[in-house]
Amino acid sequence: MNDSPGWATPGSSPSEDRSGQDGQGSKGSGSEGGAGGTQPPAQPSDDPRWSAAQPPPGQWSNPGTGEPAPAQAPQPQQGPGWGSPGQQPGARGGPSYGSPYGGQYGNQYGPYGHPGAPWGPPPAAKPGVIPLRPLGLGEILDGAVSTMRSHWRSVLPITLVVAVIVQVFGVLVQKYVLADLDTYPRGDSTIDLSAGDIVGYIALTGATYLVQILGTILATAMLTMIFSRAILGQPSSVATAWRESRSQLPRLIGLTLLVGLALTVAVGVLIVPAFLFESLALAALTLLVLAPVIVWLGVALSLASPALMLEKSTVSKAIARSWKLVKGSWWRIFGITLLTGIITAIITGIIYYPLSMIGVFGFGNGLDSVMDGSASSSWGFLIFGGVALIIAQTITMPIQAGVTVLLYVDQRIRREALDLDLARAAGIDTATDPHPGAAPGHGG
């Protein structure tokens, strides 16, 4: 028998089916060689119930190899997702079936697909924007864009309102407050900063960033709920997203502020010696050492937000969940997050720079205002730049939030068989399709 992983064991051996009959026929039979001997077993060619071509005893060929197979015991066909004999369909904790992903997500047909389609994985259930199996890079990005496209009535109002509020506040602060602070030279003047100017500048800049962070948190919370429904193929609305996310909003705010405060304090404490010794080189060296640590922690905690929202957990549990899910996949999550950041930065640049230049050169003093530093406070630059950022954030915010949510779902599918739970939540009958998640090819 062939019990190698990736193949279902063929039917029972013909010798087993005939063992009882042969045993009864041989009892008490003599042989030509003398009394008490045994009669030689009949050859398959002597029995009309046997095929003329038989494999060697105890050996069976795999389907598709071209070797002869027993006519009375054909290889049973099984649909995608079934395990080995004795394995309950859909049972957790079963053996790996040759998939590079391991665990219960293995493909019982090995890494080359199933018989009849040797170069591709079995199809996976796809009730919504992603197939219910481990995802590749393209599928994560496509899922984020597909959700924004198919659920635009829910997604765009959220991101548009948040972007408008953030940019209007930023424009007003820039025009009426920051422009009065001498934080840069104008023409032949020199910078003359007082302690009050520095404190005021930091406070107003911090307030602007705080409004932006709170707006992003609100949008992220509601978009997470929309994406969770889009995965299951369920409709969503702004009211539904708000109702499902508002109970976790205080915790999400606390999580974001806690992580941001911890990173800020860590950087501040470690860079204090550079200020004490008044050494610019030491400050640069400290930042150079801190940058990889900050990036590493940022990626390790990047899945805390969807874990908090979708699992309805506490801040500490969400941090622990993100740490656990990212462990062993840090470089993959870092690469996808970095690529998403590059894509959104390119989109923002394509929209922002042409419109802001139109504001400067079309409704401002042109290159002179850029040279003397007054362009940043001109109405042309502020309005056109603000409109450009509103458009850019309306487009990029759902992509970034969607990639984070889909990375979280992908990690749980790979580690915790979330695809089975998602299939049941989507109304897929796991009794007839016991393993809707099939391992993809080598992409992503």
Side-chain angles (χ1 to χ4, degrees), residues 310-360:
L310 297 178
E311 298 179 17
K312 306 296 183 183
S313 62
T314 62
V315 172
S316 58
K317 290 182 178 179
I319 292 175
R321 286 286 289 153
S322 178
W323 196 281
K324 178 181 178 181
L325 291 173
V326 173
K327 185 178 180 180
S329 302
W330 190 94
W331 283 107
R332 180 175 182 272
I333 295 174
F334 167 75
I336 294 176
T337 304
L338 178 62
L339 179 61
T340 304
I342 294 174
I343 292 174
T344 55
I346 292 174
I347 294 174
T348 301
I350 291 175
I351 298 173
Y352 175 76
Y353 288 109
L355 285 179
S356 61
M357 290 300 100
I358 290 175
V360 171

Side-chain angles (χ1 to χ4, degrees), residues 1 8-18 49-51 53-55 59-63 67-77:
M1 292 185 181
T9 305
S12 59
S13 170
S15 61
E16 296 174 0
D17 295 338
R18 300 222 355 122
R49 291 175 296 177
W50 290 73
S51 173
Q54 291 292 318
Q59 297 183 11
W60 292 83
S61 59
N62 290 335
E67 299 177 9
Q72 296 298 326
Q75 175 74 20
Q77 284 289 339

Side-chain angles (χ1 to χ4, degrees), residues 8-384:
T9 305
S12 59
S13 170
S15 61
E16 296 174 0
D17 295 338
R18 300 222 355 122
S19 59
Q21 298 177 10
D22 292 343
Q24 293 175 0
S26 62
K27 283 184 179 181
S29 299
S31 67
E32 296 180 0
T38 58
Q39 182 179 359
Q43 297 297 323
S45 58
D46 300 333
D47 193 331
R49 291 175 296 177
W50 290 73
S51 173
Q54 291 292 318
Q59 297 183 11
W60 292 83
S61 59
N62 290 335
T65 60
E67 299 177 9
Q72 296 298 326
Q75 175 74 20
Q77 284 289 339
Q78 293 182 346
W82 289 87
S84 60
Q87 172 82 13
Q88 181 68 23
R92 309 259 178 135
S96 173
Y97 301 115
S99 168
Y101 296 93
Q104 59 266 43
Y105 306 106
N107 179 2
Q108 78 278 13
Y109 297 118
Y112 301 106
H114 56 87
W119 300 113
K126 189 179 180 182
V129 294
I130 59 169
L132 300 184
R133 56 166 168 75
L135 303 175
L137 168 62
E139 290 167 330
I140 291 176
L141 294 175
D142 179 70
V145 175
S146 297
T147 301
M148 185 173 62
R149 184 175 62 247
S150 58
H151 296 262
W152 64 270
R153 290 181 178 85
S154 303
V155 172
L156 295 186
I158 295 173
T159 56
L160 180 61
V161 169
V162 169
V164 168
I165 293 175
V166 170
Q167 293 306 318
V168 167
F169 182 82
V171 166
L172 293 178
V173 170
Q174 180 73 21
K175 178 64 179 177
Y176 293 107
V177 181
L178 297 182
D180 295 334
L181 297 178
D182 294 328
T183 55
Y184 47 82
R186 299 177 183 275
D188 297 331
S189 64
T190 58
I191 299 177
D192 184 16
L193 290 178
S194 64
D197 290 336
I198 296 175
V199 173
Y201 181 81
I202 294 175
L204 290 172
T205 304
T208 303
Y209 280 115
L210 181 62
V211 171
Q212 184 173 354
I213 289 172
L214 292 177
T216 303
I217 291 173
L218 176 62
T220 300
M222 298 177 70
L223 290 174
T224 299
M225 297 306 171
I226 293 175
F227 274 93
S228 67
R229 286 178 164 268
I231 292 171
L232 303 177
Q234 298 176 356
S236 59
S237 64
V238 176
T240 302
W242 168 249
R243 184 173 62 254
E244 293 177 347
S245 63
R246 64 184 177 184
S247 62
Q248 290 294 99
L249 265 178
R251 291 178 175 176
L252 184 59
I253 293 174
L255 171 66
T256 305
L257 296 181
L258 177 63
V259 174
L261 181 62
L263 293 176
T264 302
V265 170
V267 173
V269 169
L270 293 176
I271 207 170
V272 163
F275 285 100
L276 293 178
F277 290 100
E278 298 181 354
S279 173
L280 184 61
L282 182 58
L285 180 61
T286 303
L287 292 177
L288 186 63
V289 173
L290 280 176
V293 177
I294 294 174
V295 171
W296 181 78
L297 286 175
V299 174
L301 302 178
S302 62
L303 304 185
S305 173
L308 180 78
M309 298 302 300
L310 297 178
E311 298 179 17
K312 306 296 183 183
S313 62
T314 62
V315 172
S316 58
K317 290 182 178 179
I319 292 175
R321 286 286 289 153
S322 178
W323 196 281
K324 178 181 178 181
L325 291 173
V326 173
K327 185 178 180 180
S329 302
W330 190 94
W331 283 107
R332 180 175 182 272
I333 295 174
F334 167 75
I336 294 176
T337 304
L338 178 62
L339 179 61
T340 304
I342 294 174
I343 292 174
T344 55
I346 292 174
I347 294 174
T348 301
I350 291 175
I351 298 173
Y352 175 76
Y353 288 109
L355 285 179
S356 61
M357 290 300 100
I358 290 175
V360 171
F361 291 98
F363 300 91
N365 295 326
L367 190 60
D368 293 337
S369 63
V370 176
M371 298 300 295
D372 62 20
S374 62
S376 61
S377 60
S378 66
W379 276 117
F381 174 81
L382 292 175
I383 292 177
F384 277 82

Side-chain angles (χ1 to χ4, degrees), residues 410-427:
D410 174 59
Q411 287 301 108
R412 288 200 61 189
I413 288 176
R414 292 170 183 267
R415 295 174 181 265
E416 302 172 0
L418 184 65
D419 52 337
L420 301 179
D421 295 330
L422 292 175
R424 284 189 287 268

